[in-house]
Amino acid sequence: VGAKADPEGCEKEKWSLQDADEATITAVKSEINGYQWDITANKLNYEIEFFAPNSFEIRTAVSTAEGKYEVKNGYIICTNSIGGVVEIPYTNNNGKIDVNIISAFDVMK
């Protein structure tokens, strides 16, 4: 249904979920590894931190989840140790990486 309603959007989403090239992976990793974001979404406070080479940790007041991440063309896919997945969108504008952490957690987006 989505492909008929928005074929360009579906193709863009498919591309965004494909493996990124090495230059993009390196750029994204240099932007996120060693950094922490503190956000509030849906009345919850989250801390998300990334570690080299491809680990992350998401903390709230009641739990902590850790796991591995992969860099795709338009998403950082975080899979925690029990299989939960968070897809964090980012854009790459000529090597300038802009990570949109809050949209990955905000159910009202």
Side-chain angles (χ1 to χ4, degrees):
V1 174
K4 290 210 182 270
D6 184 9
E8 286 181 26
C10 282
E11 285 303 312
K12 182 179 181 205
E13 191 67 10
K14 282 184 196 176
W15 176 84
S16 293
L17 290 166
Q18 293 174 355
D19 292 339
D21 60 39
E22 283 303 316
T24 300
I25 292 170
T26 299
V28 170
K29 285 184 171 192
S30 70
E31 187 70 26
I32 65 173
N33 282 336
Y35 293 97
Q36 174 182 310
W37 283 261
D38 298 315
I39 63 163
T40 300
N42 315 310
K43 299 181 182 178
L44 290 172
N45 295 320
Y46 296 88
E47 294 175 356
I48 183 164
E49 190 169 359
F50 294 91
F51 310 94
N54 64 334
S55 297
F56 74 93
E57 193 170 278
I58 299 172
R59 296 177 289 274
T60 68
V62 296
S63 68
T64 298
E66 54 188 37
K68 302 291 183 188
Y69 73 84
E70 297 176 88
V71 178
K72 303 297 185 179
N73 283 325
Y75 289 99
I76 302 162
I77 309 293
C78 299
T79 305
N80 70 31
S81 58
I82 60 169
V85 175
V86 175
E87 297 176 343
I88 301 172
Y90 74 90
T91 55
N92 182 354
N93 294 319
N94 297 321
K96 182 182 180 320
I97 306 300
D98 183 24
V99 181
N100 191 345
I101 301 272
I102 198 162
S103 73
F105 293 91
D106 187 359
V107 296
M108 304 304 284
K109 61 182 171 175

